[in-house]
Amino acid sequence: MSKRVIASKMDIIRNGVRFGGLEYSEPPSISCSGDAEICMSLRCTVKKHPDMDVTTDLIRPYAVIDGVEYALGDYSVGTLKEQTKDNVQWWEIEGYDLALFCKQSLIETPYYIAVGTLYIDAISALLIDAGITRVIADSNEDTLTTDREDWEVGESRLTIINDLLAEINFYPLYFDLNGVARLAKKVEISASSASISYKGDKMSILYPECSSELDIFDTPNVFIAIMSNSEQAAMTATSENNSPSSALSIMRRQRRIPRVFKVNNIASQSALQEYVDNLRNDSMLSTETVEFYTAINPIHSVHDVLVLQHPDIEGIFYETGWSMSVKAGEKMTHRVKRVMYV
């Protein structure tokens, strides 16, 4: 494992630009959980800053490796505990990515979206209402097929956004390491979609320790999606796992294990078929979960696909989460699922 010089820094961000810096007693810790409503979180203990407005200013941590700075997201203060030690005032902070703004932003009147509205336009309007202006969105031309007023007063805009994203087969809302909201189409996970590689050679930052767990109890291999509501004609779509390379397939298990998924709204019949195909594809991620460790690598975001060539475990993996303390000598923990496609 090559010798690297690792440090960290933390900036205060006000109105999108650097306002000042924060001094810390211990380097910040960053965690990512791809399945969580708010994917990215921050923990840190910093010296109280007299000019920071903790209700509106953001914290942007960096990993500094061999002199190069890598941003690790923008975080809003969620909880703050103040303490004094040796006549110095310290803040213990838990921060969350800006999906927190969408979760805190609740509709105060019935929320209406007109038939024919582009899904992406409807979602962008919700983001703006929640104070999110930096957005990168994949292309999508689907429009709402009915007038919508599904959500009760008091529902969060994050729930509405994720409901709409699901109807066009996009990932739930997440934020990247530059603090930008991402509206991303789900992609089939395969070797061609891998963006990160770890190899167990002398130049690797991969540690030898790892663990794995396998659970295939009651995993379906036949997926039936039914869309039914009072505004549209009912639609049904079916997808089967017939892959000879999948241990969960009808062929390999020699029996059909169906599961029915009910959907209230979807953009079209083709979108419903894509939805149920995604359910099948997700199931073909092996229920083998693996935990392994590397040196700090600040290029991981949400929904990463990676190549792992560990002495004990090899393959293409989908990363469900990671965590690290941005400190020299610390290990980065990765939680992944093995991909099992043809």
Side-chain angles (χ1 to χ4, degrees):
M1 189 175 298
S2 60
K3 180 69 173 178
R4 302 188 302 164
V5 178
I6 296 177
S8 58
K9 59 176 283 190
M10 302 179 72
D11 283 348
I12 301 169
I13 304 298
R14 180 174 293 178
N15 298 324
V17 298
R18 185 182 188 276
F19 174 75
L22 289 169
E23 297 180 53
Y24 53 79
S25 60
E26 284 289 327
S29 295
I30 313 293
S31 295
C32 172
S33 177
D35 296 330
E37 203 174 25
I38 301 174
C39 296
M40 303 279 291
S41 61
L42 161 77
R43 288 178 178 268
C44 61
T45 300
V46 298
K47 186 180 290 187
K48 181 178 179 178
H49 194 293
D51 298 319
M52 179 178 178
D53 185 342
V54 296
T55 63
T56 56
D57 291 338
L58 305 177
I59 298 173
R60 181 178 296 168
Y62 295 83
V64 185
I65 300 179
D66 294 335
V68 179
E69 295 183 356
Y70 299 86
L72 295 174
D74 285 353
Y75 300 88
S76 177
V77 175
T79 63
L80 182 150
K81 178 182 178 181
E82 188 171 321
Q83 62 178 349
T84 301
K85 184 177 181 180
D86 298 329
N87 295 319
V88 178
Q89 291 179 300
W90 297 92
W91 287 337
E92 292 182 8
I93 292 174
E94 289 189 19
Y96 303 94
D97 73 43
L98 301 192
L100 177 66
F101 287 7
C102 300
K103 186 175 179 64
Q104 292 174 330
S105 179
L106 310 182
I107 59 172
E108 301 176 44
T109 59
Y111 196 83
Y112 173 77
I113 310 174
V115 60
T117 302
L118 283 167
Y119 272 88
I120 293 297
D121 287 350
I123 294 164
S124 297
L126 286 157
L127 287 168
I128 290 171
D129 287 344
I132 305 300
T133 57
R134 295 197 300 156
V135 182
I136 296 176
D138 288 350
S139 176
N140 183 275
E141 298 300 321
D142 287 336
T143 61
L144 274 74
T145 56
T146 64
D147 291 329
R148 298 289 293 279
E149 202 170 15
D150 305 0
W151 305 278
E152 297 181 0
V153 172
E155 188 62 85
S156 76
R157 282 181 169 79
L158 181 58
T159 294
I160 302 172
I161 288 167
N162 285 337
D163 285 349
L164 295 173
L165 287 170
E167 292 173 23
I168 55 173
N169 294 298
F170 274 45
Y171 290 112
L173 175 68
Y174 69 95
F175 286 76
D176 64 22
L177 297 181
N178 292 311
V180 178
R182 303 299 296 266
L183 309 179
K185 184 176 179 60
K186 288 186 176 180
V187 297
E188 184 171 335
I189 302 168
S190 64
S192 62
S193 60
S195 58
I196 300 173
S197 177
Y198 291 113
K199 299 180 180 181
D201 56 32
K202 64 181 181 180
M203 299 299 292
S204 177
I205 61 172
L206 182 66
Y207 283 90
E209 301 90 346
C210 70
S211 62
S212 64
E213 180 179 346
L214 183 65
D215 181 8
I216 60 173
F217 176 75
D218 201 32
T219 302
N221 51 28
V222 178
F223 301 81
I224 304 166
I226 300 172
M227 193 291 296
S228 179
N229 64 47
S230 60
E231 303 289 332
Q232 298 172 268
M235 295 185 290
T236 301
T238 301
S239 190
E240 299 180 352
N241 179 355
N242 290 309
S243 172
S245 68
S246 171
L248 308 174
S249 69
I250 297 171
M251 178 190 305
R252 293 281 295 275
R253 302 189 81 172
Q254 297 186 355
R255 64 188 187 277
R256 296 171 67 87
I257 305 175
R259 186 171 297 171
V260 175
F261 300 83
K262 295 184 178 180
V263 180
N264 289 327
N265 285 280
I266 200 78
S268 62
Q269 177 68 51
S270 62
L272 185 66
Q273 186 62 54
E274 187 176 356
Y275 170 81
V276 77
D277 287 344
N278 281 333
L279 291 175
R280 179 203 62 201
N281 292 342
D282 288 346
S283 79
M284 291 168 64
L285 292 177
S286 167
T287 47
E288 179 188 6
T289 57
V290 173
E291 186 168 286
F292 71 96
Y293 309 92
T294 67
I296 292 170
N297 188 5
I299 64 172
H300 284 262
S301 184
V302 184
H303 308 305
D304 288 330
V305 179
L306 54 91
V307 178
L308 176 61
Q309 294 182 351
H310 189 279
D312 299 318
I313 299 174
E314 293 189 359
I316 310 299
F317 292 83
Y318 172 74
E319 191 164 44
T320 59
W322 51 264
S323 59
M324 62 180 174
S325 175
V326 190
K327 182 179 181 180
E330 292 290 321
K331 295 180 181 179
M332 182 174 181
T333 301
H334 304 263
R335 295 172 297 281
V336 299
K337 287 187 176 182
R338 187 191 298 273
V339 176
M340 293 187 66
Y341 293 101
V342 175

